[in-house]
Amino acid sequence: MKKKVTIRDVADYAGVSRSTVSYVLNGVNKMSNNTKEKVMKAIKELDYQPDFTAISLSKKKSNIIGVIIPSFDDSLAPIFKENHYYTEILGGMEYVFRKHNYDLLISGMREPEDCKSWIQRRNLDGLIFLGLFPERLYAEIRLLDCPIVLMDYYGKHGDLYHNIRVDDEQGGYLATKHLIDRGHTRISFVGHDLTNISVDVNRLNGFKKALQEANLPVDEDLLFDGRGSFYEVGHQMGTKLLELGDKVTAIFASSDILAIGINKALQEHKKEVPKDYAIVGFDDLAISSYSVPSLTTIKQNVFNKGVISAQTILDIINQESSTPANITLPVELVVREST
Amino acid sequence: MKKKVTIRDVADYAGVSRSTVSYVLNGVNKMSNNTKEKVMKAIKELDYQPDFTAISLSKKKSNIIGVIIPSFDDSLAPIFKENHYYTEILGGMEYVFRKHNYDLLISGMREPEDCKSWIQRRNLDGLIFLGLFPERLYAEIRLLDCPIVLMDYYGKHGDLYHNIRVDDEQGGYLATKHLIDRGHTRISFVGHDLTNISVDVNRLNGFKKALQEANLPVDEDLLFDGRGSFYEVGHQMGTKLLELGDKVTAIFASSDILAIGINKALQEHKKEVPKDYAIVGFDDLAISSYSVPSLTTIKQNVFNKGVISAQTILDIINQESSTPANITLPVELVVREST
DNA sequence: TGTTGTTTTTAAATCCATGTAGTGAACCGG
DNA sequence: CCGGTTCACTACATGGATTTAAAAACAACA
C-alpha cells in the first residue's frame, strides 16, 4: 500500500510552496507560466488527486447534495421498487451533478431533526426534498441554513423555498378534456394520498374544471382515493369501478402506476380497454408505453424535472439565484391505445 | 447563522480537554464515570454533532460506500429509467447502510481511472460494482486498495473479489423446463448483451441444459441477442419471432423488460399470450405482475441481493470477512398468466 | 515520605488542503 | 539612488476531529 500523494509531495517535487500548488490548482491567476508548468508537471508525474475531504474541511463545502425521499417502513426499498418516478428524477439530477463535480447522497427520512444532523455531519451543500412530507417539516427546515429546493410542494410555506413543479392542474384538465372529447361523460377520478396539499388535489381540480367547462356534473361518488402501494390501490379501485356498472366509462388516474393497476383489474374481469373503459394516466413513465394496451397519459418530463432541480440548487449555491421562485414546467397529453 | 458547535466547545463547556471528549465519543474505556457524564451532559446541552468531514480526514475513513453503475450516454438516466433492477437493488443497499450509519454515493462510470480518482478524492470506504463492465476494468481495480464487491460477475478475475450472484443457470433451466413441462418443444431464447461473461450466457446454458435433458435440439436460429434499450430489443425480437411462424411456440427472455417488450410486439400483431405464445421472463421486477398478462418469471430476490452486497462490504471493512467468496443466491420459478 | 505502578487526563502532532498576511525582488518615475 | 507600487511567491494559521506520547493524579506499599 503506497502512501497517498498529497499537495505537499507535489510542492516538494516542483520545488515550490504548498500555497503555490493550491493557487495553480484553483486558478488564481498570478503565477508565472514557468511555475505553473512546473507544478502541472509535478501533478501529472506524481498522479496527484486532491482530497475532497480535506478541501471540504477547509472550504466548508462538501460538493455533495443530499436528496431526501420520504421513506416508509424504515426503508426506501418499497419506494424505489414501485415508484419509478423517483428513480427517473434521480437520473436527471445525477446527470447535472456529475457534470459539475458534485456527488449525490440519497437518504430516506424519518424526522426533521435527522436532516438537520445529516447536513451538519456531512457538510451538505444543499438539500432537495423529493416528494411529500409532513407539513411541519417545511416550517422547521427553514432554519437549516442550507440551500433547499422542494419538488411538487403545494403547502403554505411555498413562498420560502425554491419549488419545482409541473402544471398539475393543467394536466388534470387536459386528461379529462381528452376523455370528454372522445365522447365520455361519466368519468371517474382515482387519486392517491389525496391530502389538501398534494399534487393530486391539483390534478383533481383540473379534472373538475374540465367537467364544468363541458357542463358535466362532478359526481362525488366517482372520486376515489387510496393509501399505500400505488399498484395495489389502482387494482382495488379498478375492482370497485366495476361495481358501478355503466355509471362509469372512463377513468383519469392521477398516476401511471395507478392506471396500470386499474387496467390490470379491469382486464382480469374480462373488460376491454379502451372499448369498455378508457383510461388516462399521469407521469408518462417508461412502463406506460410498455403496457398492454399502451397508456394514454399526461407526460411530465421527469428527467428534465430532475435536471432543473439540480441546476436550481447549484444556482443558489453559486449565488446566481436567491429569491425563492416557483418553477412550473409544462405538461403534455400523449395519446396512446388506452383511449 | 450561529457558529457550529465543535469538539472544542464541548471540551471547554465540560472543563476537559478535546482528547477526553474524543475518547468518550469513541468509547475508549478509560475515563472515569464522572468525566464521562460531564462530557455527555455538555454534548447534549450544546447539541453537538460530530463533523464527518473532519473525522474522515483524521481517520482516513469516510463512512461512504460508492456504487458504480455502467452508464451510457454520459448519464445514468436511461438506466434508471428503464432498468428497474438497478433501482430495486439500491433500495436493499440503502436499507443496510442506513442502519450502520453509512451513506451511499452513486455514480455512473466511464473509465477505470475515474473510479480510482473517485475513491481517492472522496476517501470511499468501499466500492460496489453493479452490472457488467469491460473486462479490463476487473484487472485494474484490483490495485485500488479498497474493499470491493462485485455483482453478477462471471469473468476470469472472479476469484479476486467478493461476488454476489444468483443461480442464473438454474434459473434458465427452471424457466425452460417449465415451458417444456407445459408441452412446448420449439422454444426461443432472447438475451441481451450476450457476451461470454454475462449473466445471460449462464441463463442460456440453463436453457440448453433443459432442452438436452428433454432430448430436444438446440436450434441456433432460435437464439436471439440484442444491445441497447431492453424494451426496444424485446420489441424488435418479438417482431422477428413472428416471422418464424410456428417454428416457435414459447419464449424464454433473459429479463422481464425484454419479455414485456416481446409481449407488447406480439399483442400488437394480434397474437395472444399465452395461447399463441408462452413467455417466461427473468428477475421478477414489480412490473412483471402488473403486466397484462402477468408474467411468469424466474424470481431473484433483488432487494435481498442489495442487502447482502451491503452487508458483505461492511464485513470486509470490519475485517470479518477477508478471503474473496462467491455468494450464489437461489432463484425460484413464479408461474403467472403468460404461460 | 519516598518509590513504584496504574489509571486518567492532556498537550501537541497529524490528517490535507485553503487562504491571509507578509516577504523580497523587480520596476517605476523623479 | 530613493520611496512607492506591483508582482510572484511563501510562512503559517485555520478547519474539526483523532491519536501518540507524555504528564498528572492516584493508589499501594515499604
Side-chain angles (χ1 to χ4, degrees):
Chain A
M1 173 177 175
K2 37 189 187 234
K3 236 183 59 196
K4 186 168 175 169
V5 178
T6 75
I7 202 171
R8 180 170 221 135
D9 302 319
V10 175
D12 292 351
Y13 189 90
V16 297
S17 76
R18 277 168 275 161
S19 329
T20 306
V21 178
S22 174
Y23 282 138
V24 171
L25 241 40
N26 291 284
V28 175
N29 208 12
K30 53 173 185 172
M31 321 319 281
S32 72
N33 280 331
N34 182 20
T35 336
K36 220 179 274 181
E37 274 163 30
K38 267 194 305 187
V39 171
M40 295 308 286
K41 187 165 159 257
I43 288 175
K44 187 160 279 175
E45 289 183 9
L46 298 177
D47 187 25
Y48 166 71
Q49 303 277 354
D51 183 326
F52 276 37
T53 310
I55 295 177
S56 301
L57 184 60
S58 180
K59 284 201 183 170
K60 301 187 173 198
K61 178 169 180 333
S62 60
N63 271 43
I64 296 180
I65 306 291
V67 177
I68 297 187
I69 301 179
S71 71
F72 53 96
D73 196 22
D74 223 31
S75 162
L76 286 177
I79 286 183
F80 276 174
K81 192 176 175 81
E82 185 185 69
N83 206 331
H84 305 138
Y85 170 76
Y86 288 107
T87 54
E88 290 194 24
I89 231 170
L90 286 176
M93 295 181 185
E94 199 267 350
Y95 177 73
V96 173
F97 287 142
R98 187 195 308 190
K99 276 200 198 320
H100 290 84
N101 238 320
Y102 274 74
D103 278 310
L104 184 61
L105 227 42
I106 299 171
S107 174
M109 231 277 304
R110 287 152 295 195
E111 294 300 323
E113 296 76 46
D114 290 343
C115 36
K116 186 178 151 204
S117 78
W118 200 39
I119 294 175
Q120 290 193 357
R121 291 188 328 235
R122 287 278 182 214
N123 277 306
L124 301 180
D125 292 343
L127 224 46
I128 298 179
F129 286 85
L130 188 46
L132 191 60
F133 299 84
E135 182 68 5
R136 77 184 165 92
L137 175 123
Y138 299 97
E140 295 189 19
I141 57 176
R142 186 160 35 128
L143 309 169
L144 287 184
D145 183 37
C146 165
I148 289 177
V149 166
L150 307 181
M151 309 204 67
D152 302 318
Y153 179 67
Y154 280 101
K156 63 183 174 194
H157 299 94
D159 295 342
L160 302 171
Y161 306 101
H162 289 257
N163 192 356
I164 320 283
R165 312 185 281 218
V166 295
D167 197 338
D168 292 293
E169 185 173 324
Q170 174 71 359
Y173 173 80
L174 288 175
T176 314
K177 185 161 186 313
H178 169 70
L179 290 170
I180 295 171
D181 289 348
R182 281 275 191 276
H184 295 280
T185 54
R186 286 153 292 161
I187 307 173
S188 174
F189 172 89
V190 177
H192 182 277
D193 214 353
L194 199 63
T195 67
N196 60 340
I197 57 165
S198 67
V199 288
D200 281 24
V201 170
N202 293 276
R203 294 174 191 175
L204 176 58
N205 285 340
F207 171 83
K208 289 178 177 169
K209 191 174 145 203
L211 289 182
Q212 280 155 8
E213 208 176 273
N215 287 317
L216 293 168
V218 176
D219 184 347
E220 296 285 335
D221 292 343
L222 301 187
L223 309 182
F224 296 96
D225 178 26
R227 308 282 144 114
S229 154
F230 280 75
Y231 175 75
E232 284 305 326
V233 166
H235 196 265
Q236 283 162 22
M237 296 304 163
T239 316
K240 263 196 197 163
L241 280 165
L242 286 166
E243 295 167 6
L244 295 172
D246 60 3
K247 282 187 70 179
V248 171
T249 64
I251 303 137
F252 166 44
S254 72
S255 101
D256 283 353
I257 313 271
L258 283 173
I260 283 167
I262 294 168
N263 178 52
K264 182 76 187 166
L266 293 179
Q267 299 211 25
E268 280 171 5
H269 291 83
K270 307 282 179 237
K271 297 296 176 186
E272 281 182 40
V273 177
K275 217 180 92 189
D276 300 327
Y277 291 93
I279 305 179
V280 181
F282 202 113
D283 285 344
D284 194 30
L285 302 178
I287 54 170
S288 308
S289 49
Y290 306 172
S291 164
V292 178
S294 60
L295 192 63
T296 294
T297 190
I298 299 298
K299 174 183 176 127
Q300 55 166 318
N301 192 330
V302 180
F303 177 75
N304 198 34
K305 220 165 154 184
V307 167
I308 291 187
S309 62
Q311 282 168 344
T312 303
I313 207 152
L314 293 181
D315 283 350
I316 306 177
I317 291 169
N318 301 324
Q319 318 247 319
E320 278 156 27
S321 159
S322 50
T323 43
N326 280 311
I327 300 179
T328 302
L329 302 173
V331 293
E332 185 186 331
L333 176 71
V334 178
V335 180
R336 297 208 186 91
E337 296 164 355
S338 69
T339 52
Chain B
M1 173 177 174
K2 34 188 189 245
K3 234 183 58 196
K4 186 168 175 169
V5 178
T6 74
I7 202 171
R8 181 169 220 133
D9 301 319
V10 175
D12 292 351
Y13 189 91
V16 296
S17 76
R18 278 168 278 162
S19 337
T20 308
V21 178
S22 173
Y23 283 138
V24 171
L25 240 40
N26 289 283
V28 176
N29 208 11
K30 53 176 184 171
M31 324 314 288
S32 71
N33 280 330
N34 182 20
T35 338
K36 221 179 270 179
E37 275 164 29
K38 269 195 302 186
V39 172
M40 293 310 283
K41 189 164 157 254
I43 288 174
K44 188 160 277 173
E45 290 183 10
L46 297 179
D47 187 26
Y48 165 71
Q49 302 277 354
D51 183 326
F52 276 36
T53 311
I55 295 176
S56 301
L57 184 60
S58 172
K59 283 200 182 167
K60 302 185 173 200
K61 178 168 181 333
S62 60
N63 271 44
I64 296 181
I65 306 291
V67 177
I68 296 187
I69 302 178
S71 73
F72 54 94
D73 196 22
D74 223 30
S75 162
L76 286 177
I79 285 183
F80 275 176
K81 191 174 175 83
E82 185 184 71
N83 205 330
H84 304 138
Y85 170 75
Y86 288 107
T87 56
E88 291 193 24
I89 230 170
L90 286 176
M93 295 180 186
E94 200 268 350
Y95 177 73
V96 173
F97 287 142
R98 187 194 308 189
K99 278 201 198 319
H100 290 84
N101 237 322
Y102 274 74
D103 278 310
L104 184 61
L105 226 42
I106 299 170
S107 174
M109 231 275 306
R110 287 152 296 194
E111 294 300 324
E113 296 76 45
D114 290 344
C115 37
K116 185 178 152 205
S117 78
W118 198 39
I119 294 175
Q120 290 193 358
R121 290 188 329 236
R122 288 278 182 214
N123 277 305
L124 300 181
D125 292 344
L127 224 45
I128 298 178
F129 286 84
L130 190 44
L132 191 59
F133 299 84
E135 183 68 5
R136 77 184 165 91
L137 175 124
Y138 298 97
E140 297 191 18
I141 56 175
R142 186 162 35 131
L143 309 168
L144 286 183
D145 184 37
C146 166
I148 289 178
V149 167
L150 307 181
M151 308 202 68
D152 302 319
Y153 178 69
Y154 279 101
K156 64 182 173 194
H157 299 94
D159 294 342
L160 301 171
Y161 307 101
H162 289 257
N163 192 357
I164 320 284
R165 314 184 280 217
V166 296
D167 197 338
D168 291 293
E169 184 174 324
Q170 174 71 358
Y173 174 80
L174 288 176
T176 313
K177 184 158 188 314
H178 170 67
L179 290 170
I180 295 170
D181 289 348
R182 281 273 191 277
H184 295 280
T185 54
R186 286 152 292 162
I187 307 173
S188 174
F189 172 89
V190 178
H192 182 277
D193 214 353
L194 199 62
T195 66
N196 61 338
I197 57 164
S198 67
V199 288
D200 281 23
V201 169
N202 292 277
R203 293 174 192 176
L204 176 57
N205 286 340
F207 171 83
K208 289 177 177 170
K209 189 175 148 203
L211 288 183
Q212 282 156 6
E213 207 176 276
N215 287 316
L216 293 169
V218 176
D219 184 349
E220 294 286 334
D221 292 344
L222 301 185
L223 308 183
F224 295 96
D225 178 27
R227 308 283 143 115
S229 154
F230 280 75
Y231 175 74
E232 285 305 326
V233 166
H235 196 266
Q236 284 161 23
M237 297 306 163
T239 316
K240 261 195 199 164
L241 281 165
L242 285 166
E243 295 166 7
L244 295 171
D246 60 4
K247 281 188 70 178
V248 171
T249 63
I251 303 138
F252 167 44
S254 73
S255 102
D256 283 352
I257 314 270
L258 284 174
I260 283 167
I262 294 168
N263 178 50
K264 182 75 187 168
L266 294 178
Q267 299 212 23
E268 279 169 7
H269 290 84
K270 307 285 179 237
K271 298 295 178 189
E272 280 182 40
V273 177
K275 217 180 92 189
D276 300 327
Y277 292 93
I279 305 179
V280 181
F282 202 113
D283 284 346
D284 194 31
L285 303 178
I287 55 169
S288 308
S289 48
Y290 305 172
S291 163
V292 176
S294 60
L295 192 64
T296 294
T297 190
I298 299 298
K299 173 180 176 132
Q300 56 165 317
N301 192 331
V302 180
F303 176 76
N304 198 33
K305 221 164 153 184
V307 166
I308 290 188
S309 62
Q311 282 169 344
T312 303
I313 205 150
L314 293 181
D315 282 351
I316 305 177
I317 292 170
N318 301 324
Q319 320 246 320
E320 278 156 27
S321 158
S322 50
T323 42
N326 281 311
I327 300 178
T328 302
L329 303 173
V331 293
E332 186 186 331
L333 176 72
V334 178
V335 180
R336 296 209 185 89
E337 296 162 359
S338 69
T339 52

